[in-house]
Structures are given as C-alpha cells and as structure tokens.
Amino acid sequence: MKILGLTGSIGMGKTTAAAMLRRLRVPVHDADATVHGLFAPGGAAVAAVDAAFPGVVVDGAVDRGRLGAVVFGDPLALKRLEAIVHPLVRAAERDFLARQRRRHTKLVVLDVPLLFETNGGRRCDRVAVVSCAAFLQAQRVLARPGMTEERLAAIRAKQMPDAAKRRRADFVIPTGMGKPLALRRLKAAVRVMKSGA
C-alpha cells in the first residue's frame, strides 16, 4: 500500500484537494476531522483537555474558541495540548492504515496540516503540497469568522513557509488557478502513486 501525504499551509486549499481525492476513490485520513471527533461530546480527548485546561469544556465538548484563547500565544500551553492530542491522532491514523491494508487498498492519503513541521513526511511514500499565492491565501483565511491579521500572522509563523514546503514536495497542487487544474494535477499524482513509479 502506498501512502501519499497531503499538506499545505492554512488557506491553501487542502480541504478542497482532499475532497477531490475522495471523489477519485482514494481513502483519506483527515487529521483535523480526527481532532474534531476527539473534542466532541464523548471524545477521547475531552477529559484530559478538561483536566489540563479547566473551563474549556462546555456541555461535554471542548469549546475550540475557549481552548484557543488559552493556548494562543502560550508555547507551554500549546505543548501540553499537543502532548494530549497528537498521540490520539496518531493512534487513529494507525487504525485507518491497518483497516486499509486489510482491504488491500493500493493508495491512501494522510491529510495532515503540519506534516513537515511534525516530521510526518517520513510516514509517507510521497507528499503533495497544495499552494496558492500569498494574497489569495490571506483573502481566504481572513474571510473566516473570528480571523484577524494578527492571528493569521501567528499561524503563519508556526508553519513552514510555503516556498520551503513546495521545495520538499513530490507533487505541487496549485489551487489558485481554478479547480480543473488542481484536479488534473491530483489525478496525475494518483496515477504516479498507483503505478509504483
């Protein structure tokens, strides 16, 4: 089974690319969706997050806004949170890979926002990076509710620069020049991966 990593900085179009890959019938493990599940009522991270950050759990779920207010700009708090969440996300990823191996799936995708930053590229045979112009990235992200230029700058500071990600990528998927081009590039990447080249 081949593993394609999918990554890209905030606002670069990773969610759209992952949806296209699913339409191409490639199973995708979404790290962000896993975190949402871990934070939902009954989620495996709720009790540990509540113990580490009192007051961020509301109605049995982690309130991401409250949690963000606590960890935003506090590297120690962020490390504490990552120590809770990352092992659970990795366990879910291992379960996903084991399930796909049992099904004899030829190709899977690991959709991980901080793939390079967490050395996750080593778990993948190849990596696809979604990318667009910086002005378009800012436009997309600043349109999100509650997003500010300051928050965007802080997020960008934690992420590897887009140019560095593109240099490390096996495939670069442009997302600022229309969906048809992005889809063509993804189809080409899938063909290469499935051919074993």
Side-chain angles (χ1 to χ4, degrees):
M1 185 173 75
K2 295 286 184 185
I3 300 173
L4 175 64
L6 176 67
T7 195
S9 299
I10 187 170
M12 290 294 189
K14 199 167 53 54
T15 302
T16 301
M20 289 176 175
L21 285 161
R22 285 188 184 95
R23 284 199 297 278
L24 295 173
R25 301 190 185 287
V26 180
V28 177
H29 181 265
D30 182 335
D32 270 352
T34 301
V35 172
H36 279 277
L38 293 170
F39 287 176
V46 174
V49 170
D50 191 30
F53 306 101
V56 302
V57 171
V58 179
D59 296 329
V62 175
D63 183 309
R64 292 173 77 98
R66 289 186 185 198
L67 181 61
V70 172
V71 301
F72 185 67
D74 184 341
L76 288 177
L78 185 60
K79 275 200 183 333
R80 214 161 60 238
L81 177 62
E82 288 172 347
I84 295 166
V85 175
H86 285 182
L88 295 170
V89 173
R90 286 296 305 279
E93 180 187 291
R94 283 192 300 273
D95 289 347
F96 165 81
L97 292 172
R99 257 190 334 274
Q100 297 305 327
R101 279 194 185 94
R102 284 194 299 274
R103 292 176 185 161
H104 304 288
T105 305
K106 283 188 171 173
L107 173 65
V108 297
V109 170
L110 297 182
D111 174 353
V112 183
L114 299 175
L115 186 75
F116 288 135
E117 293 85 345
T118 58
N119 290 318
R122 291 181 302 196
R123 303 194 306 275
C124 305
D125 295 295
R126 298 201 181 177
V127 176
V129 169
V130 291
S131 180
C132 68
F135 81 89
L136 185 55
Q137 176 197 27
Q139 204 174 62
R140 290 171 177 173
V141 177
L142 291 171
R144 297 178 183 181
M147 186 55 71
T148 63
E149 299 231 359
E150 179 201 15
R151 285 201 70 182
L152 174 56
I155 291 166
R156 277 177 165 163
K158 285 191 192 93
Q159 296 184 336
M160 181 184 289
D162 179 54
K165 286 182 179 174
R166 282 188 275 117
R167 279 195 301 274
R168 293 180 66 175
D170 297 289
F171 309 102
V172 175
I173 312 300
T175 63
M177 294 178 272
K179 288 182 181 177
L181 175 60
L183 181 59
R184 278 200 306 278
R185 291 284 178 86
L186 285 168
K187 282 180 174 174
V190 167
R191 270 197 309 275
V192 169
M193 294 294 294
K194 285 186 171 176
S195 74

